[in-house]
Amino acid sequence: YDISGSLTFDGQDLQKIPIEERARKGIFLAFQYPLEIPGVNTNIFLKTSLNAIRKARGEKELDAIEFLKLVKQKAKELKFDEEKLNRQLNVGFSGGEKKNEILQMSMLAPKLSILDETDSGLDIDALKIVADGVNTLRNKNNSFLIITHYQRLLDYIKPDFVHVLMNGKIIRSGGPELAIELEKKGYESFN
């Protein structure tokens, strides 16, 4: 693809700043297929990430006790198996990788969360947990960009706006009813 234009967030062109700076600015990306990262403990990853963000915000970093209390609370809220917190990052999670990303999002409290087909491959129970996580975190101080091909995620997360992207361009925008229309008629009807 030939990418032109700009990608601006909080008045700054994101294409001109490194990825770690984007994270410090409050942007979070949940992948369609989260990678396994052998050798990196999930708890240590979460604590390091959270404290880097807190430091960038001018907040006090959490010590081990404060962190463990917070992560256990968030894991319980999201029905995330606490045992996985002691494993290597996403290794052997058997589908729990996406719940782990929602846990990360919950811990980091980003301004903008981009969920790239997070619903892909999830069973109905996991889908509800992911949706509940998003709905719990949703407030007037943050935004979510949810990329999906299926209405079923939007049955649990009611979008404020729906944009239909085709061939790299937004071809139509509307409210939640647009996603329902798309589900009924398919993409071909939008050509």
Side-chain angles (χ1 to χ4, degrees):
Y1 287 103
D2 178 25
I3 299 174
S4 59
S6 65
L7 181 59
T8 305
F9 180 74
D10 276 349
Q12 190 166 15
D13 186 352
L14 293 178
Q15 297 177 81
K16 294 181 179 175
I17 61 172
I19 292 171
E20 63 273 11
E21 182 63 25
R22 295 175 196 174
R24 286 192 288 267
K25 289 195 166 299
I27 299 174
F28 178 84
L29 174 62
F31 294 99
Q32 180 177 6
Y33 300 110
L35 296 174
E36 290 185 356
I37 307 179
V40 176
N41 175 279
T42 300
N43 260 336
I44 293 171
F45 174 79
L46 286 171
K47 183 175 182 267
T48 302
S49 299
L50 177 61
N51 279 335
I53 297 297
R54 290 179 66 86
K55 185 177 180 181
R57 292 178 185 159
E59 299 171 1
K60 176 185 161 290
E61 294 181 38
L62 298 182
D63 64 28
I65 305 256
E66 293 168 320
F67 169 77
L68 285 174
K69 184 178 177 183
L70 178 64
V71 76
K72 285 182 179 194
Q73 172 198 333
K74 297 286 187 182
K76 185 177 181 181
E77 289 170 7
L78 296 171
K79 298 178 180 90
F80 184 82
D81 182 1
E82 277 186 44
E83 180 271 325
K84 290 180 178 165
L85 294 171
N86 294 312
R87 290 192 196 171
Q88 297 174 66
L89 189 59
N90 294 330
V91 175
F93 276 29
S94 301
E97 305 91 334
K98 294 181 183 186
K99 291 183 202 175
N100 184 30
E101 290 208 320
I102 299 302
L103 175 63
Q104 291 172 39
M105 185 174 65
S106 176
M107 295 287 294
L108 300 175
K111 292 180 189 175
L112 172 63
S113 297
I114 303 167
L115 283 69
D116 184 10
E117 297 192 51
T118 301
D119 53 340
S120 182
L122 292 181
D123 64 29
I124 194 69
D125 293 330
L127 182 72
K128 286 180 182 177
I129 289 169
V130 166
D132 287 347
V134 169
N135 288 328
T136 299
L137 297 171
R138 191 175 183 178
N139 63 54
K140 63 180 179 147
N141 298 316
N142 64 17
S143 299
F144 293 85
L145 174 61
I146 300 172
I147 302 162
T148 184
H149 286 94
Y150 304 106
Q151 170 64 36
R152 77 178 188 152
L153 179 61
L154 303 181
D155 290 338
Y156 301 106
I157 302 172
K158 186 177 181 204
D160 296 313
F161 304 99
V162 173
H163 305 283
V164 178
L165 183 69
M166 189 178 271
N167 298 321
K169 295 185 189 277
I170 294 175
I171 59 167
R172 196 147 157 216
S173 296
E177 69 283 346
L178 182 58
I180 295 167
E181 179 185 345
L182 181 61
E183 181 77 11
K184 287 179 181 174
K185 295 181 178 179
Y187 285 96
E188 290 301 316
S189 69
F190 285 68
N191 276 335

